[in-house]
Amino acid sequence: MLTFYAGTMRHMELRQLEYLVAVAEEASFTKAAARVFVTQPCVSAQIRRLERELGQDLLDRGGRTVQLTEVGAAALPHARAVLAAMDGVRNAVDDFTGLVRGQVVIGSVASSLSVELPELIADFSEKYPAVEISLSEGTTDQLADSVRAGRTDVAIIGVSAEPPAGLETQVIADESLIGAVSHDHPLARRTSVPLEDLECHALMCLPVGSGLRAAADAAWAAAGVRPRIAFEAGDPRVLAQLASRGLGVAILPERFVRGHAGRLHPVEILSPRLRGRLALAWRSGDRIGPAARALVAHARSVLA
């Protein structure tokens, strides 16, 4: 078996295994190509070549999404093991030489408006020029899953009382969530409002799956309030625009609302006050390489 493995690897290229893993996890040639930074025909051609060398189809291309065949499913863990072993070799050499290189992926929720993310990326790139950086957005749930799976190295996510399972986190922002309304909205005559009074107004919130929404939902449930959610948007700026047109009460971070006083009237929410927290999240221990470890250390020091 070992002889077969060694002989096969002389013909098989590591990038073919990388493409196979990417297609299996993304269930799409197009998404896999974007993930590994090559064109879709390149990914397709290399996997076809791998299938010819092995004499078996690894992927079922007949459905709406790309699925592994039984042979492909059996081969996938070994492909991952080979790639992990090669990463281990590179990491050992890099640790010995003190060189930090490779690729890192930073994820962020759209609501991280109080975090100077561009400055963090620029400073890290200047300090570690041999590391390629990419940025992605998503909900807290999506990003937490991506970090756990190793597709994202470090993410800025919203957190409620319980941090995501399986991740280490560091809170980097903790601020009040308040209401934001247009200057001609009925609540514009008030500076604060009890939580239960919001039941008779159309509310606009971040979507389910975001940490800030989870914090608001938990507060509403604890108070026995059933809010009427009229609009959801992943970008707080969209909610602000809707609120400024008089379409309802947007629940947003206080600093953001007060920074747009020209078009939004801030309304504090009482009994209980809502709070939203942003945290840095990463995988723990030796499951991350030198470049990812350097990114985590840099982000923790800059965003603390």
Side-chain angles (χ1 to χ4, degrees), residues 15-303:
R15 62 175 177 170
Q16 293 172 342
L17 300 181
E18 180 185 6
Y19 297 170
L20 174 63
V21 171
V23 173
E25 292 179 348
E26 301 293 343
S28 164
F29 282 101
T30 301
K31 292 180 180 179
R35 171 171 153 181
V36 297
F37 306 105
V38 297
T39 63
Q40 184 271 331
C42 178
V43 171
S44 181
Q46 286 297 326
I47 292 181
R48 283 292 190 191
R49 180 179 174 187
L50 176 61
E51 290 174 323
R52 287 196 298 270
E53 291 176 358
L54 295 175
Q56 296 286 338
D57 288 339
L58 303 176
L59 298 173
D60 182 355
R61 301 161 172 84
R64 296 182 61 182
T65 59
V66 183
Q67 302 292 328
L68 289 166
T69 63
E70 290 186 6
V71 176
L76 183 63
H78 300 285
R80 286 178 171 145
V82 170
L83 294 174
M86 288 306 302
D87 283 342
V89 171
R90 294 190 187 98
N91 293 343
V93 173
D94 289 347
D95 285 343
F96 183 81
T97 60
L99 176 66
V100 177
R101 63 184 177 189
Q103 295 179 342
V104 293
V105 180
I106 302 175
S108 178
V109 292
S111 56
S112 61
L113 299 174
S114 59
V115 177
E116 299 295 338
L117 191 56
E119 286 77 5
L120 182 148
I121 294 174
D123 290 346
F124 181 81
S125 182
E126 182 177 351
K127 188 174 181 180
Y128 300 102
V131 178
E132 297 181 16
I133 308 170
S134 59
L135 176 65
S136 64
E137 279 194 351
T139 67
T140 287
D141 289 348
Q142 291 169 342
L143 292 172
D145 288 341
S146 185
V147 173
R148 277 190 287 261
R151 297 189 297 272
T152 300
D153 295 296
V154 61
I156 298 171
I157 62 175
V159 292
S160 52
E162 294 296 327
L167 299 178
E168 292 192 35
T169 59
Q170 175 177 319
V171 174
I172 57 176
D174 187 345
E175 56 186 327
S176 297
L177 299 178
I178 66 173
V181 298
S182 64
H183 290 287
D184 57 359
H185 190 277
L187 289 180
R189 296 187 296 271
R190 303 171 65 174
T191 58
S192 63
V193 60
L195 187 64
E196 56 269 20
D197 284 6
L198 293 178
E199 286 185 305
C200 59
H201 294 278
L203 299 188
M204 298 178 288
C205 301
L206 295 169
V208 173
S210 65
L212 299 186
R213 174 62 179 275
D217 285 345
W220 288 326
V225 173
R226 294 187 176 182
R228 178 165 59 92
I229 308 299
F231 298 98
E232 292 182 340
D235 190 335
R237 289 163 292 200
V238 174
L239 298 178
Q241 291 172 354
L242 293 172
S244 69
R245 300 296 297 272
L247 296 177
V249 184
I251 307 300
L252 294 168
E254 181 174 9
R255 185 186 309 178
F256 176 77
V257 177
R258 296 193 185 281
H260 294 78
R263 57 194 181 104
L264 294 174
H265 174 77
V267 182
E268 293 188 28
I269 301 171
L270 308 176
S271 305
R273 294 180 182 271
L274 304 183
R275 299 200 66 83
R277 297 190 299 165
L278 292 175
L280 205 65
W282 66 94
R283 284 168 292 160
S284 60
D286 57 2
R287 294 185 294 159
I288 58 177
R293 284 200 299 272
L295 174 61
V296 170
H298 178 76
R300 293 183 71 184
S301 65
V302 170
L303 299 179

